[in-house]
Amino acid sequence: MASSLTPSNFQIKIKEEHIVKGIKTLNETYFTIGNVTNVDRRIVTIPPTTSIDLINVNGVDPGAGTFPSSSMKYVRISNLDTSTSLAVSFTSSNDDRWSMECLPTSSLMFSSPNVTGSEFAGTFTDDITNVALYSLSSSLDVEYVVVNA
């Protein structure tokens, strides 16, 4: 059966506004991802001091929580908690691992699964294959968006 879904555009707007010494600065960045075929968005609750696999990117075919790396164009992970930090851990196709702290009410974003596990030498030799989340103390809510095109 042929798909009746028509690929569409996904628009992202990042707005930064601040006042320093009475001077207001506003920065807005826009970008559009074309030919979008899938957007996955949900809110998950991470139990206290527990790790969960949020996104698996090591498959060719999409499935529950699994996305083909070749089509991943945008990911946002937002810590919705107001007091507890979130640890976001990444694993690459070369089994390299790294983690980042996502402070309360903040977000991490990336627009490609391409990474390298060493000093950059002109190419990205690996892909992100897994994104896991860990609550550092109490349970917390996390929102994520994955866009495929």
Side-chain angles (χ1 to χ4, degrees):
M1 177 175 131
S3 175
S4 61
L5 298 176
T6 303
S8 60
N9 290 337
F10 186 89
Q11 296 181 325
I12 297 136
K13 174 184 174 182
I14 300 171
K15 181 178 179 179
E16 302 167 338
E17 185 175 347
H18 58 285
I19 300 173
V20 178
K21 296 185 178 183
I23 300 171
K24 181 178 178 179
T25 303
L26 176 65
N27 298 308
E28 293 182 341
T29 301
Y30 302 87
F31 62 99
T32 301
I33 301 167
N35 201 33
V36 172
T37 55
N38 181 46
V39 175
D40 190 63
R41 178 199 169 270
R42 70 180 185 151
I43 296 173
V44 296
T45 300
I46 314 294
T49 63
T50 301
S51 178
I52 66 159
D53 286 340
L54 182 70
I55 302 169
N56 288 307
V57 195
N58 57 356
V60 185
D61 300 317
T66 302
F67 305 91
S69 65
S70 61
S71 66
M72 185 174 286
K73 303 301 180 195
Y74 174 79
V75 175
R76 177 182 50 82
I77 299 169
S78 296
N79 181 354
L80 302 179
D81 198 84
T82 58
S83 60
T84 301
S85 287
L86 170 72
V88 182
S89 297
F90 300 88
T91 305
S92 78
S93 54
N94 195 36
D95 207 29
D96 294 313
R97 298 168 190 273
W98 66 100
S99 297
M100 296 178 67
E101 181 179 20
C102 186
L103 297 173
T105 69
S106 67
S107 298
L108 299 174
M109 295 177 279
F110 57 94
S111 59
S112 169
N114 300 332
V115 296
T116 184
S118 59
E119 185 175 344
F120 185 67
T123 61
F124 296 100
T125 56
D126 304 308
D127 287 334
I128 293 172
T129 57
N130 182 271
V131 179
L133 305 179
Y134 183 84
S135 171
L136 298 181
S137 59
S138 62
S139 66
L140 55 85
D141 292 329
V142 174
E143 177 183 52
Y144 80 86
V145 176
V146 177
V147 177
N148 294 87

